[in-house]
């Protein structure tokens, strides 16, 4: 027993010191490749494309991989691109980037700011990489270039995916449905990263367990009996019922869930009526729900159904005209970082950027469709890493002024592009090499 333990410890020590020997090479090559990646980032930033419209972006990602000798599959599950690079025996590691931009008009004043417009449901809208997916793609390209230069340092299969439509939560699901894990090798690990303006460049944020919340959308149609606004006694007013429902929904998180179980119930839209003197016969509401566990979301939905029905009954609506609660089946599940994989990533990344630059982050209530890759029957361990994107100088200046950096999706999002990409390439290369060390 004891012998086995020492043998395992010895093997681990060899692996760690073998990885430590790669660190200088990773740093040197990543620094070199980050210049190319930064130029690519400027091009992508000036040519953003909306979700499901990533035609040129996806072509560029495919050709970047082809130049490096990857086997490339274009237009996989839409505009996504899958690349495979085989480098001997060993594990398969998947590295994912997203590609889509947002309907946001850029106001950064950058010399490579976007002036692009695109069609969104018949309207012409300004488009901007306001969620940093341009940095994700450049880091992804820079990492693949670095890994192809350093093939002596690792052994295994590198599987990369440039995914469409992260912002619409369609991309990951479509890639999985198109056979990502049946037509290509099943990854032993899947990695992704997202820029984070709340962290400084040179830092990464990481945690095992929940990282991003699950997202569900619910629509409630509240029925009433319409009529003249001057004769409320002859009507059942759905605006009053809907108002009561909105207020009662606030008690789900505060009174029905455990205080230690995070969830969000937000009514983001409510519409009813056309004129001041008409009581309508219908009000529609749209809700976004956020959660981390199946148990929680089941409780929240049951409470929404109960609260809606009882508010209508109280107002005198008959049983066949109670509110219709529609739960959209297209959900984004929570992103859950595999604990063991996250612990290994902390070690690899620490050797590159120093342990002090690895920040333990808290779960966020926003959604990310990367979680879907970890919830298939193949049970792939996944890990999503935050990449600090605000320069330490800017962070200090903002702090002194009592301000915060522009958040994701903001028209003034201004990452420190060059340094974010450089750290991204170093860290992601280190992670892949660490997991595939010879
Ligand atoms: Zn986003
Ligand atoms: Zn994003």
């Amino acid at each position: 027993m004891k012998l086995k333990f020492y043998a395992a410890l010895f093997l681990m020590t060899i692996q760690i010191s073998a990885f430590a020997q790669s660190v200088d090479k990773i740093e040197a090559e990543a620094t070199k490749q980050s210049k190319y990646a930064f130029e690519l980032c400027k091009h992508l930033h000036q040519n953003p494309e909306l979700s499901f419209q990533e035609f040129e972006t996806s072509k560029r990602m495919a050709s970047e991989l082809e130049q490096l000798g990857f086997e490339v599959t274009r237009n996989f599950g839409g505009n996504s691109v899958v690349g495979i690079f085989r480098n001997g025996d060993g594990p398969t590691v998947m590295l994912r980037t997203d590609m889509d931009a947002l309907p946001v008009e850029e106001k950064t004043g950058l010399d490579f700011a976007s002036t692009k417009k695109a069609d969104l449901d018949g309207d012409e809208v300004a488009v901007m990489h306001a969620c940093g997916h341009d940095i994700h793609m450049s880091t992804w390209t820079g990492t693949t270039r670095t890994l192809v230069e350093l093939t002596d340092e690792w052994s295994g299969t590198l599987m990369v995916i440039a995914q469409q439509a992260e912002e619409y939560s369609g991309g990951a699901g479509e890639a999985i449905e198109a056979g990502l894990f049946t037509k290509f090798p099943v990854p032993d690990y899947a990695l992704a990263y997202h820029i984070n303006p709340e962290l400084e460049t040179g830092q990464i944020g990481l945690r095992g367990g929940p990282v991003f919340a699950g997202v569900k959308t619910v629509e409630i149609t509240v029925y009433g009996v319409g009529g003249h606004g001057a004769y409320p006694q002859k009507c059942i007013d759905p605006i009053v019922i809907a108002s009561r429902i909105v207020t009662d929904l606030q008690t789900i998180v505060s009174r029905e869930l455990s205080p230690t179980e995070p969830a969000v119930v937000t009514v983001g839209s409510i519409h009813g009526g056309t004129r001041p003197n008409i009581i309508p016969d219908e009000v529609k509401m749209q809700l976004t729900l956020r959660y981390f566990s199946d148990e929680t979301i089941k409780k929240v939905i049951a409470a929404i159904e109960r609260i809606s029905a009882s508010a209508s009954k109280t107002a005198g609506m008959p049983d066949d005209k109670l509110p219709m609660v529609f739960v959209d089946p297209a959900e984004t599940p929570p992103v859950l970082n595999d604990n063991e994989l996250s612990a290994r990533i902390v070690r690899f990344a620490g050797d590159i950027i120093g342990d002090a630059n690895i920040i333990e982050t808290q779960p966020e209530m926003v959604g990310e469709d990367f979680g879907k890759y970890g919830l298939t029957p193949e049970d792939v361990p996944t890990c999503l890493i935050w990449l600090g994107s605000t320069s330490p100088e800017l962070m200090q200046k903002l702090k002194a002024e009592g301000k915060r950096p522009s958040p994701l999706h903001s028209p003034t999002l201004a990452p420190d592009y060059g340094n974010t990409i450089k750290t991204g390439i170093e860290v992601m290369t280190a992670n892949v090499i660490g997991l595939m060390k010879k």
Side-chain angles (χ1 to χ4, degrees), residues 205-214 260-263 290-294 296 333-340 342 359-368 370-371 375 382-386:
L206 190 58
R207 75 187 314 275
V211 185
F212 284 95
T260 56
E261 179 64 40
R290 308 293 160 115
Y291 64 96
F292 287 106
S293 75
D294 279 351
T296 300
V335 176
L336 306 168
N337 276 355
D338 181 79
N339 281 314
E340 201 188 315
S342 306
I359 312 296
E360 193 183 347
T361 41
Q362 293 303 307
E364 299 281 343
M365 299 316 281
V366 287
E368 231 288 355
F370 179 67
L375 293 174
T382 55
C383 183
L384 190 142
I385 298 154
W386 286 115

Side-chain angles (χ1 to χ4, degrees), residues 56-75:
E56 295 306 316
T57 309
S58 124
K59 274 186 209 158
R60 179 68 190 258
M61 291 299 102
S63 72
E64 290 291 334
L65 295 178
E66 276 164 358
Q67 281 171 38
L68 295 173
F70 276 74
E71 299 158 28
V72 176
T73 305
R74 292 170 182 247
N75 302 323

Side-chain angles (χ1 to χ4, degrees), residues 316-334:
M317 288 300 290
D319 282 354
D320 62 345
K321 274 295 193 184
L322 297 182
M324 194 180 71
V325 177
F326 171 73
V327 182
D328 192 335
E331 71 172 323
T332 300

